[in-house]
Amino acid sequence: MGIVGKSKKVIAKTLLNAMKVNFIMEMFFRWGEKQVLKVMVEKNERNRPIGSQEDKYFIVRNLMKSFEAKYKAGALAPSVRDWIINRFIGDVILNYRERYPEVVKKRQSDEPNPVFITLSPTQNCNLACSGCYAASTNKTCATIEWDVLDKIMEQKRRLWGSHFTVISGGEPLMYESQGKNILDLYEKHNDNFFLMYTNGTLIDKAMAQRFAELGNVSPAISVEGFEADTDARRGKGVYKKILEAIENLREAGVLYGISFTATRKNADKILHSDFIDEFFGPHGATFAWMFQYMPIGRGPDFELMLTPEQRRQLWARERELMREKGVFFVDFWNGGPISDGCISAGRKGGYLYIDWFGNVQPCVFIPYSVGNIKTDYFDKGKTLDDILKTPFFTKLRDWQKGYSYEKSAAEAGNEIVPCPIRDHHKEFNKIAREAHAIPVDKSAERAIKDVQYIEELDEVGRKADEATSDIWKQKYQKV
């Protein structure tokens, strides 16, 4: 290593040690806030809609402030604090260019370069929630073999410089393969940060303490509102178990958040002040992820989808939470401006999804595949990069570019309705058919041919666009 390289490491180490002092940490975060504002809003080098850049600033600022507050309050386990300071800030941020020169070149080119993968290692679950997109129960045992899971992790880091992984399910804490469980994955790949969606019912004190010792996992616990609504969908007594899990995580010093699904029935409740104040106040949540109900999986039902007016109302409330309340809150559809639209199919800065069978899909909510990660890729000497070159993924990325991602601020399509399968279904159906995408289950096989389904879902998207197009023009493009 040259003198410059050694100097960088000395400076980085000095900075990281200094950051363990509260007032220096506070100075670092204030500097970081200013840099985020400068890069995202003031410079805006890609000429994105200015309202979108403002949203990005607020969401990053809110996450920084949340971490800072917990750090100052001594609410984080030492291993959690040290992982974020040493691993994330030290290794990933300060030394990234030095560690991944080829990835940096790729990101500066037109090549696709995802920054994370969502994995569902097992379909198995101890609950059987109504409307589950995964159709999971304790009788669904499909599981990715450990050695395949391990290889995915190794390749995503080496090929993409990726240090973030989302774990979904099924219930991840029920994963078992070749003598390993999900905690073994977190331990072996300790240079990755894992966001784990979980129903929370298996997080006892010992499990919470294990998360704290690992330092690199943050559970997102699924709720549907307060007790009545959560138990109605997830089963009697589940809400009380969730509160127990939250208390266990708080005591152990683990960063955690919540996730929930908005439906036509609960939309007026889940973002009510009582609910938000409860979970971000006494319960100490760091973040919230919201999904809008999609008619896939077990018992698809269009009557559960949000109405256009509800979608508009939720947008307004989400914006208030983000900008005025300082909450890290992301809606995977209404929050499209934060991510410059759809991030599926391995788009630059985006992701792809691999389910419990090993089906490789553009997105968790796109039940169409380009093959099996083991038999169609790894066993044939192919890598994750080969997935990105498939016609289905390529066509979806072309659609993203043409709709908004590579458009100027004045030309970009409405990113409040960014989703090809949900908001632009006829266009998605055409892409999937032309690319010979493989349905992953019987429901998806029927849906791609069902004229009524295609028409109804496309109509939902069209009306949502009509209900939010003025918001996009006035608040984001600011015309």
Side-chain angles (χ1 to χ4, degrees):
M1 182 185 296
I3 294 175
V4 174
K6 288 181 180 178
S7 298
K8 282 184 177 180
K9 284 196 172 293
V10 170
I11 292 170
K13 187 174 182 180
T14 302
L15 173 62
L16 295 172
N17 287 330
M19 283 173 62
K20 294 176 182 178
V21 179
N22 275 356
F23 83 90
I24 295 179
M25 171 67 80
E26 184 174 352
M27 289 172 59
F28 176 79
F29 276 115
R30 296 296 78 74
W31 172 83
E33 275 186 54
K34 290 178 181 177
Q35 290 303 304
V36 171
L37 181 65
K38 182 178 180 180
V39 171
M40 291 184 174
V41 180
E42 295 172 7
K43 286 190 174 181
N44 189 14
E45 292 179 350
R46 291 187 60 236
N47 188 27
R48 302 299 300 153
I50 192 63
S52 300
Q53 297 302 106
E54 291 169 354
D55 276 4
K56 292 171 193 173
Y57 161 72
F58 279 108
I59 208 69
V60 173
R61 184 207 66 174
N62 293 352
L63 187 60
M64 292 172 67
K65 283 186 174 295
S66 182
F67 173 74
E68 181 186 1
K70 289 185 178 298
Y71 185 93
K72 286 182 177 179
L76 299 177
S79 50
V80 174
R81 177 201 65 203
D82 291 348
W83 192 95
I84 293 173
I85 293 176
N86 294 320
R87 282 286 197 175
F88 179 65
I89 297 176
D91 292 345
V92 178
I93 295 180
L94 297 181
N95 294 312
Y96 194 87
R97 287 182 172 273
E98 184 178 306
R99 294 181 67 190
Y100 300 106
E102 294 304 315
V103 174
V104 171
K105 288 180 183 177
K106 187 184 292 187
R107 291 183 177 177
Q108 292 171 343
S109 71
D110 291 330
E111 292 184 62
N113 186 236
V115 295
F116 72 100
I117 281 181
T118 295
L119 298 169
S120 289
T122 182
Q123 192 183 19
N124 198 7
C125 186
N126 58 323
L127 303 180
C129 306
S130 61
C132 173
Y133 84 96
S136 299
T137 70
N138 58 9
K139 296 179 182 179
T140 51
C141 299
T143 297
I144 301 176
E145 294 176 353
W146 166 264
D147 56 356
V148 175
L149 201 61
D150 188 41
K151 191 169 185 176
I152 293 169
M153 294 298 301
E154 183 276 325
Q155 285 197 8
K156 70 186 278 291
R157 178 179 58 247
R158 175 169 54 85
L159 297 174
W160 303 341
S162 169
H163 289 269
F164 178 53
T165 306
V166 177
I167 301 293
S168 189
E171 171 52 51
L173 293 176
M174 295 188 73
Y175 175 78
E176 291 183 359
S177 172
Q178 299 172 341
K180 304 287 187 179
N181 60 39
I182 200 66
L183 299 182
D184 292 311
L185 189 76
Y186 303 157
E187 183 172 22
K188 180 171 182 180
H189 297 277
N190 191 251
D191 60 350
N192 262 254
F193 190 79
F194 293 88
L195 172 66
M196 180 184 73
Y197 289 102
T198 173
N199 61 45
T201 61
L202 302 178
I203 302 177
D204 56 17
K205 290 184 182 297
M207 183 66 73
Q209 186 57 43
R210 185 73 177 109
F211 291 157
E213 292 166 357
L214 289 167
N216 66 330
V217 55
S218 183
I221 299 178
S222 301
V223 294
E224 309 301 330
F226 288 118
E227 186 169 14
D229 292 303
T230 297
D231 284 4
R233 185 182 183 211
R234 299 186 171 272
K236 187 173 177 58
V238 168
Y239 187 76
K240 289 180 179 178
K241 290 182 179 179
I242 286 173
L243 295 187
E244 290 174 8
I246 287 172
E247 187 57 31
N248 293 336
L249 292 168
R250 277 169 50 83
E251 288 181 0
V254 177
L255 286 172
Y256 92 93
I258 56 175
S259 69
F260 41 90
T261 301
T263 71
R264 191 173 302 182
K265 295 180 179 180
N266 71 359
D268 61 334
K269 300 178 183 178
I270 55 175
L271 297 190
H272 192 278
S273 294
D274 291 347
F275 176 72
I276 295 297
D277 291 347
E278 179 79 11
F279 278 91
F280 281 88
H283 294 322
T286 302
F287 55 83
W289 301 101
M290 189 177 85
F291 304 89
Q292 296 180 22
Y293 174 78
M294 266 289 290
I296 60 173
R298 180 187 295 127
D301 183 357
F302 278 89
E303 292 302 312
L304 288 177
M305 294 190 76
L306 297 173
T307 66
E309 184 55 34
Q310 283 177 319
R311 193 154 171 180
R312 183 183 176 94
Q313 290 170 353
L314 283 178
W315 174 87
R317 176 59 172 151
E318 292 157 16
R319 185 180 175 90
E320 177 188 7
L321 291 174
M322 180 172 59
R323 296 195 174 209
E324 298 177 22
K325 301 291 186 181
V327 173
F328 182 93
F329 182 99
V330 178
D331 174 341
F332 279 86
W333 282 274
N334 283 359
I338 297 170
S339 58
D340 294 325
C342 172
I343 61 172
S344 73
R347 193 200 82 181
K348 190 180 295 185
Y351 88 115
L352 58 83
Y353 173 57
I354 302 176
D355 77 4
W356 40 83
F357 291 114
N359 293 317
V360 182
Q361 301 161 227
C363 170
V364 174
F365 295 100
I366 295 180
Y368 300 92
S369 167
V370 292
N372 184 277
I373 188 62
K374 182 179 186 299
T375 58
D376 295 316
Y377 292 92
F378 290 168
D379 286 355
K380 295 180 179 179
K382 297 181 179 181
T383 70
L384 294 178
D385 274 348
D386 291 299
I387 293 166
L388 304 179
K389 301 171 186 175
T390 58
F392 189 32
F393 275 50
T394 302
K395 286 177 179 291
L396 281 171
R397 291 196 304 272
D398 287 343
W399 180 86
Q400 292 164 349
K401 293 174 184 177
Y403 181 69
S404 68
Y405 180 60
E406 290 193 352
K407 295 289 188 179
S408 67
E411 298 174 327
N414 181 359
E415 290 175 353
I416 304 173
V417 285
C419 178
I421 189 170
R422 180 193 184 94
D423 300 320
H424 308 271
H425 191 71
K426 282 186 178 178
E427 293 178 67
F428 168 81
N429 184 273
K430 183 174 183 289
I431 289 171
R433 285 173 173 271
E434 288 178 349
H436 304 289
I438 307 164
V440 300
D441 54 32
K442 293 293 184 183
S443 177
E445 187 176 353
R446 288 193 299 270
I448 201 168
K449 303 172 184 175
D450 187 333
V451 175
Q452 183 177 351
Y453 179 93
I454 296 166
E455 291 289 343
E456 284 190 33
L457 195 50
D458 194 70
E459 180 73 359
V460 169
R462 186 184 64 77
K463 288 182 177 179
D465 183 27
E466 291 176 353
T468 57
S469 61
D470 63 320
I471 295 174
W472 173 249
K473 292 174 183 176
Q474 296 168 17
K475 301 295 185 181
Y476 290 97
Q477 292 177 314
K478 299 200 174 182
V479 294

